[in-house]
Structures are given as structure tokens and as C-alpha cells.
């Protein structure tokens, strides 16, 4: 995708991007990342404070369940996003700035609803994640370099390696689940945990 995105700049970029699905996917992922960058910068303080509230999680988890369940039986056919579809998926990703709202679940569901084939919707979601996480990591590294954040390199390395291994295994498993149309099963988990957390907070 990265290679195709670069090659598309030769000659007539607009025509090349329109005709090359890999290039369209690459630039679509960049476009889809813009909304979360804007929202993250504008509402950074509120977003960070929401992570200390279990009430936000208790409300957000059932919403995630509804989003995941909404794709039950839906099948798309497109294997590359139009820029409008990419933007819609990008806007959906901004809601995942709140704890309890699944980033991958929300973007995959938005992709499927916009007509993307299930497997591609998942792959596009994870491609977007690379850009979003890289951006957030760059911001934290910038803060660390200016003394705003204390960094323990051993903990950072251990966290990176463990997330790399577990993430790789999880992504492969999730892709298989999405293709077999069992993605909405995660909705039951979200509803159960959300209900349990609400009961805990209330009583």
C-alpha cells in the first residue's frame, strides 16, 4: 500500500489513485486519520479525564455492543474505499477516543455499513490504527523529550514487545472471526461487562 501510494504520485496522481486500489487505500487511510487528529487535539483534556471515570466505560460498552451487533448479516462488496467512505470511517474512529468504545469495532462496523467487504474493512481499520497510534506515540515522545512525561525504557520495551506479540495473534484471530460472520458475538460480551459494571457502580 505504501509503495503504491508513492508510485501513484507519478504522472497523473488523481487518475492513478482512482485506478489503483492500493493507492486509494493508502490515501484513504491518511484521510480517515485526520478527524481523530483534530478531535484529539481539540478535546485532549476532556478525553484524558474521561479515562478516570468508570461511569463513562459503563455507558460506552453497551454502545459498542450495539455498534458490533448492527453488522449482523451485512455483507459489503468493495475492496477499496472511496474518499467519502474513508472520511465516514474516520469520523467513526473519533468516538473511540472515549474509553469503552472499541476503535477497531467502530471502524470495522463503519466500513461494513459503507459497503466494504468484511475482510477489507478489518484490514483498512488496522491500517488506520498504524497511523493513529504512530501519531499518538509521536506526541507522547515529544512530551517525554521535553520533560513532561517520565519514561522507563525497560517498561516501555516490555510493553512494546508484549503488545506486538499479543496484537499479532489477536489480529489474525479477529480476521478469521470477521470473515465467518461471527463478529457480532463480541456484542454480547460488551453488554454483559457493561451491565455488570453498571450494577457495581449503582450498588
Amino acid at each position: 500500500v505504501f509503495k503504491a501510494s508513492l508510485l501513484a504520485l507519478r504522472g497523473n496522481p488523481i487518475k492513478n489513485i482512482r485506478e489503483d486500489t492500493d493507492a486509494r487505500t493508502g490515501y484513504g487511510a491518511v484521510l480517515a486519520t485526520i478527524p481523530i487528529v483534530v478531535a484529539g487535539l481539540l478535546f485532549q483534556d476532556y478525553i484524558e479525564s474521561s479515562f478516570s471515570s468508570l461511569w463513562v466505560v459503563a455507558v460506552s460498552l453497551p454502545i459498542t455492543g450495539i455498534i458490533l451487533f448492527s453488522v449482523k448479516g451485512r455483507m459489503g462488496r468493495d475492496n477499496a474505499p472511496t474518499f467519502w467512505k474513508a472520511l465516514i470511517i474516520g469520523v467513526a474512529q473519533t468516538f473511540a477516543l472515549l474509553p469503552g468504545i472499541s476503535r477497531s469495532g467502530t471502524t470495522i462496523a463503519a466500513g461494513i455499513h459503507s459497503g466494504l467487504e468484511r475482510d477489507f474493512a478489518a484490514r483498512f481499520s488496522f491500517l488506520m490504527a498504524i497511523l493513529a497510534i504512530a501519531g499518538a506515540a509521536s506526541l507522547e515522545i515529544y512530551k517525554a523529550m521535553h520533560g513532561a512525561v517520565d519514561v522507563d525504557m525497560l517498561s516501555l520495551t516490555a510493553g512494546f514487545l508484549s503488545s506486538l506479540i499479543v496484537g499479532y495473534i489477536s489480529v489474525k484471530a479477529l480476521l478469521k472471526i470477521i470473515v465467518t460472520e461471527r463478529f457480532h458475538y463480541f456484542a454480547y460480551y460488551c453488554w454483559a461487562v457493561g451491565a455488570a459494571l453498571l450494577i457495581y457502580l449503582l450498588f
Side-chain angles (χ1 to χ4, degrees), residues 13-14 17-18 20-21 23-32 80-90 124:
I14 296 177
I17 293 171
R18 186 184 298 118
D20 191 315
T21 57
R24 197 157 77 246
T25 297
Y27 287 105
V30 173
L31 178 63
T82 64
F83 282 169
W84 277 114
K85 290 180 180 180
L87 188 60
I88 291 172
I89 298 171
F124 186 70

Side-chain angles (χ1 to χ4, degrees), residues 173-186:
L174 183 59
L175 287 173
K176 292 181 180 179
I177 291 172
I178 293 172
V179 172
T180 55
E181 299 183 45
R182 291 179 290 181
F183 187 51
H184 66 280
Y185 285 6
F186 289 110

Side-chain angles (χ1 to χ4, degrees), residues 150-203:
D150 293 325
V151 177
D152 180 349
M153 289 305 298
L154 180 60
S155 298
L156 190 64
T157 303
F160 171 77
L161 291 175
S162 62
S163 63
L164 178 67
I165 296 169
V166 175
Y168 179 78
I169 296 172
S170 300
V171 167
K172 289 199 69 173
L174 183 59
L175 287 173
K176 292 181 180 179
I177 291 172
I178 293 172
V179 172
T180 55
E181 299 183 45
R182 291 179 290 181
F183 187 51
H184 66 280
Y185 285 6
F186 289 110
Y188 302 117
Y189 164 79
C190 293
W191 290 332
V193 176
L197 185 54
L198 279 174
I199 293 172
Y200 169 77
L201 292 173
L202 289 172
F203 300 102

Side-chain angles (χ1 to χ4, degrees), residues 100-133:
I101 300 293
S102 167
R103 192 212 66 83
S104 57
T106 301
T107 52
I108 292 171
I112 294 173
H113 282 298
S114 67
L116 296 182
E117 190 268 331
R118 281 174 167 263
D119 180 69
F120 180 82
R123 294 180 184 278
F124 186 70
S125 170
F126 295 130
L127 182 61
M128 291 168 56
I130 294 174
L131 300 178
I133 294 172

Side-chain angles (χ1 to χ4, degrees), residues 47-101:
I47 293 166
E48 290 179 353
S49 65
S50 69
F51 275 82
S52 61
S53 173
L54 287 177
W55 281 103
V56 176
V57 179
V59 173
S60 297
L61 277 173
I63 295 175
T64 295
I66 294 173
I67 293 171
L68 298 178
F69 196 80
S70 69
V71 302
K72 181 181 180 181
R74 296 189 66 92
M75 299 292 292
R77 296 182 178 181
D78 297 337
N79 61 355
T82 64
F83 282 169
W84 277 114
K85 290 180 180 180
L87 188 60
I88 291 172
I89 298 171
V91 171
Q93 183 175 227
T94 62
F95 292 99
L97 289 169
L98 294 174
I101 300 293

